[in-house]
Amino acid sequence: MERANDIEGSLVDQPGRLTTTFDNWSSLPPEVQELILAFLPLDQLFQVGLICKNFLNVTKRRSFHQARARLRPRECCLSPLVFYAERDTWHLRGFDYENRVWRKLPPFKSPIPALDPDEFNNFLVAGDKGLFCMNVGKASEGEKLYVYNPLSGEAFELPALELSRHPVVISLRVTLAKKNDDMVASSFVVIVIGGVGIGTGSLSRKTDVYDSVKGRWEAGEDVPGAEFSLNDYQTGVYCERSGLLLCVGFMVDGRKGILAFDVEKRKWREDWICPFHDPVGDNAVMVHFAIAQLVECSGMIYLFSEQMVKTTVTHCIDRLELDSGSEGFTWTRVLTRDIQRNWGLRVYPEMQGNWALLVYQEYTCVPVGEDRLCIFNTIEKSGVVFDVTGNEGVASEPFGMVHPPDLGDGVMLRSLNPVGYAFEAGFARVIVEVEEGRAECLQLGHEQAEQQSINLGDCSHGILRVFLHMLSSAYRKSI
């Protein structure tokens, strides 16, 4: 930082040198180049390479990612997410609810393969703390699992599963552990469960856990109950307090409910029965759960469901509190909303008789801020936001709206996986492959990042201000 300040002072004190020096970008030290570009807004950062190849090369450096992460440990929180294809490339837009704007992230790049929209039906994408874990293997081939940072473009391919299959559940959890004053060692755990397709009944109960620290897959306990107890694509919800991964499926008694996997012990809670919420308590009334999806918001766990009783279709949101009540859990209904529409489930014809999974979900539920959930229509790409702090259990007034993004010529991708999480985009997490099959994930310390952000801001009035003005002018001319 002293060197940057020295350069700033010498150039600002000698304005006659500005034009000569700034015309030659390569004459600046690399750390100054990175510092200058690190101050660009996120949307301009990914377009600055269109102005100059030298700018593009700077943004590809890992040292630049580090400089940007010091300045902004977290770029934005995006939810809901919309995946789409454009020119055979996989793209992603996410809604920044804080600023009420859709943001476009960089297109996914190699080694993430070119996208076939028809194959995306079966792709499963989990996310946590700036990283995605995705299965991009074709249905006709084996699974292919990557951990990927969409901002930095860094990717790590996980080793092949011992029992190859396309998992029905993929969960990603990123954890932090202090390493030294400058860096934080960040490890990740990937949990894959079950399998789909004809002849995979014996694999539908399998559970495997990959720990980046150990660098290998470890077998967990089989899912209790019958084959295909988990028959919905999902990422599950991790309960930090109890160390459980919660999934929606068929319990050992045959009813639909919540299954719990102890991540540390690698075992399922076989004696834990948690059926869905039944506020009526009338066993004679048949309730069909067309959609049942777990979602975490502000540290609380919710179940979003689309229920059909006779001809009435209802959207419900129930809050699940563990370690309470006589049965070890309690349900509280926070929202009920009758909807008028045709039975809108999309069943893919090629899946009938070939796959054990059932339907494409037209609606999903995602967190969009403190104690707020959005019921998102994945067909219309719009949503309604509700406050879920109450216990009224009846239809409430919408808190806000999420309007559709403009995808241009992009082709909307349909997936059996309801993306029910918020994605915290950022450069802070760096994936480093230390040896074949094993990766280390690093992150800048939060305290240091905040302090350096203040220091960097102090020098932004001189060299940075001039350069950013030049870059903005060049950017405006380029478009």
Side-chain angles (χ1 to χ4, degrees):
M1 291 312 304
E2 293 180 359
R3 185 176 183 184
N5 284 326
D6 289 342
I7 292 173
E8 177 195 357
S10 63
L11 292 177
V12 172
D13 293 339
Q14 304 174 55
R17 293 181 54 199
L18 286 176
T19 302
T20 302
T21 306
F22 288 171
D23 283 343
N24 190 355
W25 171 262
S26 60
S27 68
L28 292 173
E31 61 268 28
V32 177
Q33 296 176 352
E34 295 162 1
L35 180 61
I36 292 166
L37 296 186
F39 270 85
L40 285 173
L42 183 63
D43 57 344
Q44 293 185 19
L45 182 61
F46 295 116
Q47 300 183 56
V48 72
L50 301 176
I51 301 174
C52 173
K53 187 176 181 180
N54 289 331
F55 294 164
L56 178 63
N57 291 336
V58 171
T59 61
K60 291 181 177 180
R61 298 175 191 161
R62 177 166 291 174
S63 53
F64 168 77
H65 299 161
Q66 213 168 44
R68 178 74 177 194
R70 288 191 182 99
L71 185 64
R72 298 182 182 178
R74 191 187 76 166
E75 297 284 350
C76 54
C77 185
L78 304 177
S79 176
L81 305 177
V82 173
F83 296 100
Y84 65 102
E86 187 175 335
R87 298 173 185 170
D88 297 326
T89 305
W90 188 344
H91 288 258
L92 168 64
R93 285 185 187 266
F95 189 71
D96 182 346
Y97 187 76
E98 181 178 352
N99 297 293
R100 304 300 195 274
V101 62
W102 284 93
R103 296 192 181 278
K104 181 180 180 181
L105 297 191
F108 291 16
K109 61 184 182 180
S110 179
I112 305 303
L115 184 63
D116 179 352
D118 293 333
E119 290 288 344
F120 191 81
N121 298 340
N122 308 312
F123 286 179
L124 191 53
V125 183
D128 187 37
K129 298 183 178 70
L131 297 179
F132 284 126
C133 180
M134 56 189 73
N135 176 19
V136 297
K138 294 182 178 180
S140 58
E141 302 171 357
E143 73 288 333
K144 189 175 291 186
L145 298 166
Y146 284 94
V147 174
Y148 182 70
N149 184 323
L151 294 194
S152 67
E154 294 174 316
F156 172 70
E157 184 175 4
L158 298 181
L161 292 170
E162 182 177 348
L163 298 174
S164 180
R165 63 197 187 276
H166 283 275
V168 65
V169 178
I170 295 180
S171 171
L172 170 67
R173 185 168 66 93
V174 179
T175 59
L176 304 178
K178 195 66 179 290
K179 189 174 183 180
N180 55 46
D181 292 336
D182 183 53
M183 301 293 289
V184 170
S186 178
S187 62
F188 59 85
V189 173
V190 177
I191 302 174
V192 299
I193 308 169
V196 298
I198 285 181
T200 61
S202 61
L203 301 177
S204 67
R205 299 176 60 232
K206 297 299 179 183
T207 305
D208 292 286
V209 181
Y210 177 87
D211 189 328
S212 64
V213 175
K214 299 179 181 179
R216 65 177 183 271
W217 290 102
E218 294 181 340
E221 188 177 54
D222 285 358
V223 179
E227 294 180 351
F228 298 111
S229 293
L230 297 172
N231 72 334
D232 290 312
Y233 273 116
Q234 57 188 298
T235 55
V237 166
Y238 180 74
C239 181
E240 194 78 38
R241 186 174 64 255
S242 58
L244 298 175
L245 174 65
L246 305 180
C247 303
V248 171
F250 290 96
M251 302 178 296
V252 292
D253 64 1
R255 291 181 295 168
K256 201 84 181 262
I258 310 299
L259 282 68
F261 178 71
D262 190 313
V263 176
E264 183 177 354
K265 295 180 180 179
R266 309 289 200 259
K267 291 186 177 181
W268 291 88
R269 294 275 188 92
E270 295 190 39
D271 57 346
W272 192 64
I273 304 296
C274 182
F276 290 161
H277 185 39
D278 180 16
V280 179
D282 186 354
N283 294 327
V285 177
M286 179 63 182
V287 179
H288 176 70
F289 287 88
I291 297 175
Q293 174 211 336
L294 289 169
V295 57
E296 186 272 337
C297 180
S298 304
M300 301 300 294
I301 298 172
Y302 298 87
L303 176 74
F304 167 68
S305 61
E306 181 175 287
Q307 304 178 15
M308 186 175 185
V309 179
K310 297 181 179 179
T311 60
T312 302
V313 181
T314 306
H315 281 165
C316 301
I317 297 179
D318 298 296
R319 183 167 56 241
L320 174 63
E321 298 182 56
L322 301 178
D323 303 322
S324 63
S326 59
E327 297 177 308
F329 64 89
T330 56
W331 288 105
T332 303
R333 175 139 303 173
V334 297
L335 176 70
T336 301
R337 186 175 71 138
D338 291 340
I339 59 174
Q340 299 294 326
R341 68 175 180 85
N342 295 327
W343 194 244
L345 300 177
R346 301 326 195 236
V347 182
Y348 287 96
E350 66 273 16
M351 298 184 67
Q352 298 176 5
N354 293 325
W355 296 81
L357 305 185
L358 300 178
V359 297
Y360 164 71
Q361 298 186 1
E362 185 172 342
Y363 288 91
T364 186
C365 187
V366 295
V368 288
E370 192 73 19
D371 297 315
R372 292 170 192 163
L373 291 175
C374 172
I375 298 178
F376 187 67
N377 186 314
T378 61
I379 304 296
E380 299 175 356
K381 302 179 289 295
S382 62
V384 183
V385 179
F386 295 94
D387 188 303
V388 290
T389 55
N391 301 320
E392 67 277 6
V394 297
S396 61
E397 291 297 321
F399 187 86
M401 302 291 293
V402 174
H403 299 287
D406 181 7
L407 302 183
D409 297 329
V411 178
M412 177 73 178
L413 301 176
R414 309 297 184 193
S415 174
L416 293 167
N417 170 35
V419 179
Y421 51 84
F423 184 71
E424 297 180 355
F427 287 94
R429 285 160 186 83
V430 178
I431 307 170
V432 182
E433 185 170 3
V434 293
E435 60 186 52
E436 185 177 357
R438 182 169 173 266
E440 185 177 21
C441 190
L442 301 177
Q443 176 183 326
L444 289 170
H446 287 286
E447 294 180 2
Q448 189 219 19
E450 292 175 358
Q451 182 61 42
Q452 292 214 18
S453 176
I454 297 173
N455 294 338
L456 292 175
D458 293 340
C459 72
S460 64
H461 62 278
I463 181 173
L464 295 175
R465 182 180 62 187
V466 176
F467 253 112
L468 289 175
H469 174 73
M470 295 174 63
L471 287 174
S472 297
S473 299
Y475 171 74
R476 287 193 295 269
K477 292 178 181 179
S478 70
I479 59 175

